[in-house]
Structures are given as C-alpha cells and as structure tokens.
Amino acid sequence: MARPDGRERADQLRPFKIELGVNAHAEGSALVETGRTRVWVTASVEERVPFHRRGTGRGWVTAEYSMLPRATHDRGQREASQGRIGGRTHEIQRLIGRSLRTVVDMKALGERTITLDCDVLQADGGTRTAAITGAFCALYQAIKRMQAAKLLSHNPIRNYVAAVSVGIIDGEPRLDLDYAEDFLAHTDMNVVMLDDGRFIELQATAEKEPLAKTELDALVALAQSGIRELIAQQKRAIVTLG
C-alpha cells in the first residue's frame, strides 16, 4: 500500500536535498529539505564561551530552534511575542545541541562558541531530525572556514551525525514519517546516530500499545539504514562545496 505522500516502500526516505553556503553572512549555513519539510540553518562563531567554560580552554556548541508562524497549516504565534520559549522548543534545542557537541573535540575548538540557528520554514514532520542533519553540515562548513583562517590547527569534528524518525503504523515499521504518518503512528521514535554506527539518542514513545523488543529492533535497524543514506548525502554536499 502506498504511503500518504506516495512512497511505495516502508524503508524509503522522503526526497532529500541539502544545499550549503546559502547565507552570505554566516560562517556556515544549510537549507535542508526532506519531503515538504524545509529547515534553514546558520552557524555563527563567537570568540567567547558561556560562564561555565571560561578559563577551561574548551569550546561550546549550542543550538536554537524556531518554527516560523506559517510553517504549518495554521498561523502560529512567534514565541518571542509571547515572551517565553515553549517546552517543545526547549526540548528540541537541547537535543540538537547535545547531538552536535558529541561529535566535536571541545579542547581543539578552543574557547569559542558555535551557535546553530535552526528555523523551520515549512513543517511536514521530522523537523527536529532534519534540523540535526542540516546543522551538522553548517557546523562542518564553519569549522572549515576557521581552519582556512588559521584559527584551528586541525578539524575538531570526530564523526558525522544525522537523524531520522521511524514509527509503527498498522503494525508496520516505517522510515522517515511525514506529519500524516506521525499522527497515525502507534509508536514513533527519533534516532540520532554517528557514521560509525554508534547512537547519541533514541527517543521512543508508544502511545497505544506497548513496544515489543522485536519491534524496537526493527525500528532501530530501519533508522540505521536511513541515517547511513543521509550521511552519504551529507558527505556529497560537503565535497561539492569544497
């Protein structure tokens, strides 16, 4: 049975595209598209660190995430106009930051902060996973520029990292859920993985039926195959940029 967006296989990613160097001002930038989800990412380098890093010789990588008012079917309010960041936004920002810090040698980065701003232009499921996948490429670009400027002696990035969603719908494990599938899923999970196969995070929730170990294994295997494909596309984009 065809999936809501026309995909014919359960193990098929949505059409994926990533373009680097899309912002003339930022040290790194990327526009990532996965199906109808589109996320704009910029990487900014600052010669300072948060208070808890001062004097340690170690850097910091962090992220901010936001969804534009008309990224979804109905207009949402800007969180800035409400005077506070919502719980979902805070959770996603922390996830993106954790995912990127894991792959960076902070000692080699030195006392600098790299901030990844991830703005959702259009949402159709998988915004946090698309943000992680795109943010890594923007981060990589920023690091290369720092190397070119002789600010770094070597590349502090230790691994590639990407993320994807998986879920179970009508008893079938599926890869890379769009919004329609995410709404129907009995279980959904976000997976963040390195290019060497190690995991940073697995966020799984069973909403209707408890998740069996065999189902969990099937979802993890599906996510692994999808992330390997995404990392291959990250590498092609980075090589193309030069």
Side-chain angles (χ1 to χ4, degrees):
M1 181 181 296
R3 298 171 66 176
D5 61 2
R7 282 176 286 171
E8 296 179 352
R9 301 195 322 271
D11 63 349
Q12 188 175 356
L13 289 170
R14 287 177 284 178
F16 180 85
K17 178 182 177 182
I18 188 164
E19 182 180 359
L20 305 188
V22 294
N23 185 298
H25 306 294
E27 285 81 4
S29 58
L31 174 61
V32 58
E33 302 180 17
T34 177
R36 296 197 303 173
T37 291
R38 305 175 74 226
V39 183
W40 180 273
V41 185
T42 57
S44 301
V45 180
E46 298 173 284
E47 294 292 326
R48 61 183 180 86
V49 291
F51 181 79
H52 71 281
R53 290 286 192 180
R54 293 177 191 171
T56 66
R58 298 169 64 83
W60 187 247
V61 176
T62 188
E64 294 190 11
Y65 168 97
S66 67
M67 189 174 292
L68 296 188
R70 202 56 201 273
T72 56
H73 292 290
D74 300 314
R75 185 185 185 277
Q77 280 192 306
R78 295 182 189 272
E79 290 182 321
S81 69
Q82 300 177 42
R84 62 180 179 84
I85 295 176
R88 176 181 180 274
T89 297
H90 192 64
E91 174 204 346
I92 293 174
Q93 290 183 169
R94 293 181 64 186
L95 172 63
I96 298 168
R98 284 196 304 272
S99 300
L100 298 176
R101 285 192 293 273
T102 301
V103 302
V104 177
D105 180 347
M106 295 298 174
K107 191 72 174 178
L109 181 60
E111 289 196 25
R112 301 180 178 91
T113 296
I114 302 180
T115 302
L116 285 304
D117 287 293
C118 306
D119 294 297
V120 179
L121 306 179
Q122 184 169 280
D124 188 28
T127 60
R128 73 186 68 193
T129 55
I132 291 168
T133 302
F136 173 80
C137 291
L139 172 67
Y140 196 101
Q141 183 186 1
I143 292 292
K144 295 299 288 185
R145 286 193 176 182
M146 293 169 72
Q147 285 185 279
K150 308 298 183 184
L151 297 175
L152 298 174
S153 60
H154 66 279
N155 192 333
I157 293 178
R158 297 178 291 210
N159 293 91
Y160 276 69
V161 61
V164 76
S165 66
V166 288
I168 298 175
I169 300 170
D170 296 330
E172 179 183 55
R174 296 185 188 180
L175 175 67
D176 193 13
L177 307 185
D178 63 12
Y179 177 79
E181 290 182 315
D182 187 55
F183 182 78
L184 295 171
H186 296 179
T187 296
D188 63 88
M189 180 165 66
N190 297 305
V191 179
V192 186
M193 191 183 85
L194 305 182
D195 55 348
D196 63 9
R198 290 180 294 163
F199 297 99
I200 293 176
E201 193 131 356
L202 293 91
Q203 298 180 333
T205 303
E207 297 186 5
K208 295 183 180 179
E209 293 292 333
L211 185 64
K213 176 63 164 53
T214 53
E215 293 173 318
L216 177 61
D217 291 343
L219 289 176
V220 170
L222 204 55
Q224 286 178 302
S225 66
I227 291 174
R228 289 191 188 103
E229 186 175 338
L230 291 172
I231 289 175
Q233 298 207 48
Q234 286 176 325
K235 291 180 177 180
R236 284 195 290 269
I238 286 170
V239 168
T240 299
L241 183 67

